[in-house]
Amino acid sequence: MLSIQNLEAKIDNKNILNGLNLNINPGEVHAIMGPNGSGKSTLANVLSGKNGYETKGQIKFNGENLGELTTEERAQKGIFLAFQYPLEIPGVNTNIFLRTSLNAVRKAKGEKEIDTLSFLKLIKEKASELGIDEKFLSRQLNVGFSGGEKKKNEILQMKLLQPKLSILDETDSGLDIDALRIVADGVNSYKNKDNAFLIITHYQRLLDYIRPDFIHVLSNGKIAKTGGSELGIELEKTGYANIG
Amino acid sequence: MKTEDLKNTQEYKYGFTTEVENIRAPKGLNEETIKFISKIKKEPKWMLDWRLKAYNRLKALKEPNWQKPKYPKINYQDLYYYSAPKSASEKPKSLDEIDPKILETYKKLGIPLVEQQRLNGIAVDAVFDSVSVATTFKDELTKKGIIFCSISEAIQKHPELVKKYLGSVIPLSDHYFATLNSAVFTDGSFVYIPPNTRCPMELSTYFRINASETGQFERTLIIADKGSYVSYLEGCTAPMRDENQLHAANVELVALDDAEIKYSTVQNWYPGDKNGVGGIYNFVTKRGACRGKNSKISWTQVETGSAITWKYPSCILQGDNSVGEFYSIAITNNFQKADTGTKMIHLGKNTKSKIISKGISAGNADNMYRGLVDIKNKASNSRNYTQCDSLLMGNKCGAHTVPYIKNNNATSTIEHEATTTKINEDQLYYCNQRGLDQEEAVSLIVNGFCKEVLQQLPMEFAVEAQKLVSISLEGSVG
């Protein structure tokens, strides 16, 4: 599904990624761990097509060269990024944002736009699966949301847009244990053999709930070590100092 | 308009002209022109005298020049002051009698002039160039004693009301453009709501400049008698053309005891092309008098068009406990310029005013909020709240806020808040990551920025205004 070869990324003339390789197949859950500044969020940004990075190397997504696609085209083709800090958009109703987003993705796939009634039915169903109060949907997007609410909203969007590859950028940070469980349940219920996850995290904590197939340790912009889910537990004990 | 120009009309959706033969007054501003206008409208002598009085005052006035947007000198002797579709010189009795070309124009504009009006609950007094060509729902309104007609008709049929109120809010020699309008105004709307009557539908007028080189001088007068309520909608679009056109309308509102007037505008005159060539000069005087106690006047404007927009819809809060509101969205793109805001003059006790202004600037445009809050010494316990937000797109545009604040009463308070922000790249990225392209993202964010004002508009208008906000900013973020 995703194949990254020798990826380098620079921002403001500073090298962040230095020859990163990674393959993700459908049905897999990959976790990326690593110390602050190792390039985890840069990887998420480069994959989603954020402006401002100078890149080299190759990223293929379902056979297509990602470098040639805009951010919205990548999103329309099924790359979803759950933001570490979801943005507030004042004056924009959450429901309207979600519907506009869903319709943009549907339109790109050549599907018909969803009508308001069907949308409301769909979104209420998805929200209730995540234990999100309906009232939350008529509030302004992320404005005045708690940290937990913002993250739940990201997961709600993921479940609504049905991406092929979901990148979770430190979705667990700042979550209390209940919110963490809700987020993890959201991911687990969406996971299937056709989609994949790239979970960026500092802590083993989230991985107690979402079991990864692979854990990669990122250090100095490269993958320094790859292992199974046991690697996370080991890191929790020994820290990142011995790796890389 | 030349045919080759037609190819370029896509950028301005409403840029087209209709071929209608015109009756025109001779070129130039003089007593003869004024007499011509008055005669063709079969006006009584008092009206002609009033116009001539204005014309004589005008001779002593100079065009104001304190505004920020400058414009080339206007040769008032080179303009036509009256132009009417020929087919309207014999007033049509029903829609069937109306020039199909005109109906077609309205159709292109999406104006529901036929039966769907009823479904939409809108009565339209449509102004095509200078003469009202159709007034609908008159019967339904007549039953309630509501008068909704062209000002020309009101001058003939309701002279006592026109005499009493015309010029009572905007005096004859108020300033250059207002006085010019008093001398040469051609048509516009007249509304009278009798005491204790709630107007059952939104009243609406669509304006449209059509004939070349015709300055358009609308005159609107709305009177809400004691305990009445009316909501009035004004929307304008203009065909595409090259030379600048002057539009100097006067709008007067009078609210008596316990009455409320809500006046909403969507202004989408031709803004000129990408390089700043052409476009309308929109120099409008809009003023409302809250004459009675507990009265209320609320202005809402969405200003997206015109090369230059220069207007300050104002409220004179004369009656005790009266309320004035001003909600504004002003969008300037390319080389457009706006100098707009409001004046809230507090005279009565316990008067309140609220100003919410959202200015959006893109391209090389310049956007100015200029507003006056003036609390006079007898206006005890009065309050004003002002919030001015500016949004900048790109780095070649400008936003300015110039509040004039005077408080002569120690028991009264004035609050002013202002922000200036650039459109946030991270917000755009977030929207893009959710599949929205750049234009959809800008539209969403800007509509959110304007929401407080948009939600003041009546429902049907709000949808149109939202679309207009998006259309106006197309291509402004690269």
Side-chain angles (χ1 to χ4, degrees):
Chain A
M1 177 184 284
L2 182 78
S3 139
I4 305 174
Q5 274 171 31
N6 218 9
L7 180 66
E8 293 178 26
K10 253 198 231 182
I11 190 162
D12 300 330
N13 273 320
K14 202 178 148 208
N15 292 316
I16 312 277
L17 299 179
N18 300 299
L20 184 141
N21 295 296
L22 180 66
N23 277 300
I24 297 179
N25 296 308
E28 291 177 353
V29 176
H30 290 243
I32 299 245
M33 300 180 78
N36 293 325
S38 57
K40 300 190 300 294
S41 287
T42 297
L43 176 62
N45 289 341
V46 167
L47 287 176
S48 65
K50 189 177 185 182
N51 288 335
Y53 293 95
E54 209 181 303
T55 60
K56 268 192 215 161
Q58 199 184 49
I59 311 171
K60 288 222 159 170
F61 181 65
N62 289 328
E64 253 185 302
N65 206 338
L66 266 196
E68 290 159 13
L69 301 178
T70 61
T71 304
E72 62 269 24
E73 285 167 336
R74 298 179 199 205
Q76 290 157 1
K77 287 180 192 291
I79 293 182
F80 179 88
L81 171 62
F83 279 56
Q84 186 180 356
Y85 305 107
L87 275 294
E88 298 183 0
I89 307 188
V92 176
N93 186 301
T94 302
N95 253 331
I96 292 187
F97 179 78
L98 298 183
R99 185 153 58 94
T100 310
S101 170
L102 179 61
N103 278 333
V105 171
R106 288 173 71 114
K107 225 161 55 187
K109 286 185 192 159
E111 292 170 13
K112 236 178 74 188
E113 290 194 10
I114 191 165
D115 64 82
T116 311
L117 282 179
S118 317
F119 173 77
L120 287 176
K121 192 165 167 263
L122 178 71
I123 195 69
K124 276 179 192 167
E125 189 187 298
K126 302 272 180 199
S128 84
E129 281 171 24
L130 289 168
I132 291 173
D133 191 333
E134 259 178 51
K135 278 185 223 139
F136 168 102
L137 298 170
S138 47
R139 284 164 60 185
Q140 297 177 43
L141 184 67
N142 290 327
V143 177
F145 283 25
S146 70
E149 284 172 330
K150 283 183 184 173
K151 298 297 174 75
K152 279 192 224 169
N153 192 13
E154 295 292 286
I155 299 305
L156 174 65
Q157 293 178 48
M158 178 190 83
K159 294 193 70 163
L160 179 72
L161 299 177
Q162 310 239 309
K164 294 192 182 96
L165 174 66
S166 304
I167 306 163
L168 275 56
D169 189 4
E170 299 197 24
T171 299
D172 53 333
S173 63
L175 291 190
D176 63 37
I177 198 75
D178 295 329
L180 186 73
R181 194 170 286 142
I182 289 169
V183 163
D185 287 349
V187 170
N188 288 329
S189 67
Y190 178 56
K191 198 173 93 178
N192 62 41
K193 63 177 178 24
D194 299 316
N195 59 32
F197 288 85
L198 181 62
I199 296 170
I200 294 169
T201 180
H202 273 292
Y203 308 107
Q204 169 60 30
R205 206 171 65 139
L206 179 64
L207 306 180
D208 291 339
Y209 297 96
I210 308 169
R211 208 181 148 81
D213 299 300
F214 301 94
I215 292 180
H216 310 278
V217 179
L218 199 61
S219 173
N220 295 317
K222 271 187 198 175
I223 288 176
K225 192 171 184 180
T226 294
S229 62
E230 71 292 340
L231 180 59
I233 296 156
E234 186 190 323
L235 286 170
E236 197 80 338
K237 287 186 195 136
T238 59
Y240 296 118
N242 305 324
I243 292 164
Chain B
M1 183 160 70
K2 296 189 204 91
T3 36
E4 57 264 34
D5 293 340
L6 273 170
K7 290 172 197 148
N8 303 321
T9 54
Q10 266 191 334
E11 284 164 18
Y12 181 68
K13 201 176 148 202
Y14 301 134
F16 49 82
T17 42
T18 314
E19 291 161 31
V20 174
E21 283 181 70
N22 290 309
I23 295 175
R24 276 180 171 168
K27 236 183 200 179
L29 180 61
N30 50 48
E31 286 200 5
E32 294 318 304
T33 297
I34 292 163
K35 283 176 183 163
F36 179 95
I37 294 168
S38 192
K39 193 179 170 195
I40 207 160
K41 299 195 149 295
K42 301 191 177 72
E43 286 178 355
K45 187 167 179 298
W46 61 265
M47 194 66 240
L48 175 63
D49 291 345
W50 197 81
R51 288 176 180 276
L52 291 173
K53 201 168 155 192
Y55 176 63
N56 282 322
R57 300 267 176 94
L58 183 69
K59 289 179 191 163
L61 293 172
K62 284 205 172 84
E63 276 177 66
N65 64 358
W66 44 262
Q67 84 289 4
K68 192 159 191 295
K70 302 300 177 201
Y71 55 93
K73 205 167 161 44
I74 297 167
N75 183 353
Y76 292 94
Q77 298 308 334
D78 199 36
L79 293 176
Y80 290 103
Y81 289 86
Y82 182 82
S83 155
K86 204 175 198 175
S87 55
S89 57
E90 289 169 25
K91 267 277 185 188
K93 310 281 177 297
S94 80
L95 288 177
D96 309 338
E97 293 176 35
I98 288 172
D99 189 335
K101 272 266 162 67
I102 295 175
L103 292 179
E104 205 181 307
T105 303
Y106 288 132
K107 208 168 154 191
K108 281 190 212 166
L109 288 168
I111 300 170
L113 206 73
V114 269
E115 195 52 38
Q116 63 257 43
Q117 283 174 321
R118 186 174 286 275
L119 298 170
N120 292 328
I122 298 170
V124 176
D125 176 24
V127 175
F128 186 93
D129 252 13
S130 314
V131 167
S132 295
V133 289
T135 303
T136 42
F137 298 112
K138 220 173 241 181
D139 293 347
E140 206 172 325
L141 296 172
T142 310
K143 274 181 212 150
K144 294 213 162 219
I146 293 168
I147 305 168
F148 177 40
C149 61
S150 71
I151 192 111
S152 310
E153 191 182 330
I155 289 165
Q156 314 244 6
K157 292 190 181 158
H158 310 283
E160 65 305 332
L161 286 170
V162 177
K163 270 189 198 170
K164 188 171 175 188
Y165 291 106
L166 189 73
S168 75
V169 190
I170 304 171
L172 209 58
S173 53
D174 195 74
H175 68 90
Y176 188 86
F177 294 108
T179 306
L180 176 65
N181 176 289
S182 295
V184 300
F185 74 87
T186 43
D187 219 331
S189 293
F190 176 83
V191 177
Y192 172 78
I193 314 289
N196 305 314
T197 305
R198 194 179 167 90
C199 185
M201 60 186 82
E202 312 272 355
L203 300 181
S204 158
T205 298
Y206 273 84
F207 295 103
R208 197 168 156 77
I209 292 178
N210 196 274
S212 182
E213 288 179 77
T214 306
Q216 186 140 351
F217 304 93
E218 316 297 347
R219 185 91 196 192
T220 295
L221 177 59
I222 300 176
I223 303 140
D225 212 325
K226 290 178 183 173
S228 69
Y229 169 85
V230 63
S231 169
Y232 186 87
L233 319 177
E234 167 205 40
C236 5
T237 53
M240 188 151 183
R241 62 181 65 257
D242 275 328
E243 69 267 49
N244 289 301
Q245 281 191 308
L246 177 63
H247 179 73
N250 280 9
V251 176
E252 294 178 281
L253 312 182
V254 179
L256 301 182
D257 288 355
D258 307 297
E260 182 177 347
I261 302 174
K262 195 172 155 64
Y263 192 105
S264 313
T265 306
V266 170
Q267 186 268 113
N268 183 26
W269 300 109
Y270 178 53
D273 69 11
K274 272 187 184 158
N275 305 311
V277 176
I280 304 294
Y281 294 163
N282 188 33
F283 302 166
V284 174
T285 307
K286 286 182 168 166
R287 203 173 297 164
C290 284
R291 212 157 273 176
K293 63 175 168 50
N294 310 317
S295 57
K296 182 176 174 184
I297 288 179
S298 179
W299 297 101
T300 304
Q301 61 173 22
V302 179
E303 302 283 329
T304 64
S306 296
I308 302 175
T309 296
W310 188 12
K311 59 181 285 205
Y312 313 93
S314 304
C315 297
I316 300 163
L317 303 168
Q318 234 171 306
D320 290 347
N321 316 314
S322 61
V323 178
E325 291 176 340
F326 174 72
Y327 297 93
S328 170
I329 297 168
I331 299 179
T332 50
N333 197 354
N334 299 316
F335 287 87
Q336 280 178 278
K337 293 179 167 53
D339 192 324
T340 186
T342 184
K343 288 190 266 185
M344 293 291 175
I345 317 289
H346 293 252
L347 299 169
K349 293 184 183 70
N350 308 313
T351 47
K352 286 192 200 79
S353 65
K354 185 174 171 186
I355 299 169
I356 307 285
S357 162
K358 306 278 179 178
I360 300 148
S361 250
N364 292 282
D366 210 22
N367 205 325
M368 157 87 86
Y369 168 82
R370 192 192 297 274
L372 168 70
V373 177
D374 188 357
I375 297 185
K376 303 289 191 191
N377 57 357
K378 287 186 181 147
S380 36
N381 298 311
S382 292
R383 282 211 314 264
N384 162 266
Y385 173 75
T386 301
Q387 187 191 325
C388 294
D389 298 319
S390 302
L391 185 67
L392 295 166
M393 301 171 77
N395 47 22
K396 283 187 231 147
C397 54
H400 317 269
T401 302
V402 183
Y404 301 80
I405 295 169
K406 295 179 192 168
N407 191 348
N408 285 310
N409 189 303
T411 62
S412 294
T413 54
I414 296 176
E415 275 178 84
H416 181 92
E417 285 179 27
T419 64
T420 303
T421 43
K422 270 192 90 167
I423 193 151
N424 185 321
E425 291 292 328
D426 286 335
Q427 283 177 336
L428 288 172
Y429 168 53
Y430 188 61
C431 293
N432 293 152
Q433 214 299 309
R434 295 300 182 259
L436 277 63
D437 66 28
Q438 205 69 343
E439 259 156 27
E440 287 173 310
V442 168
S443 161
L444 194 82
I445 293 167
V446 172
N447 272 303
F449 173 78
C450 298
K451 193 183 187 184
E452 273 173 282
V453 177
L454 288 171
Q455 66 193 12
Q456 294 298 324
L457 292 168
M459 193 64 169
E460 322 83 78
F461 233 31
V463 174
E464 186 185 330
Q466 268 184 31
K467 279 188 203 149
L468 204 57
V469 165
S470 314
I471 291 169
S472 309
L473 290 167
E474 271 173 15
S476 55
V477 170

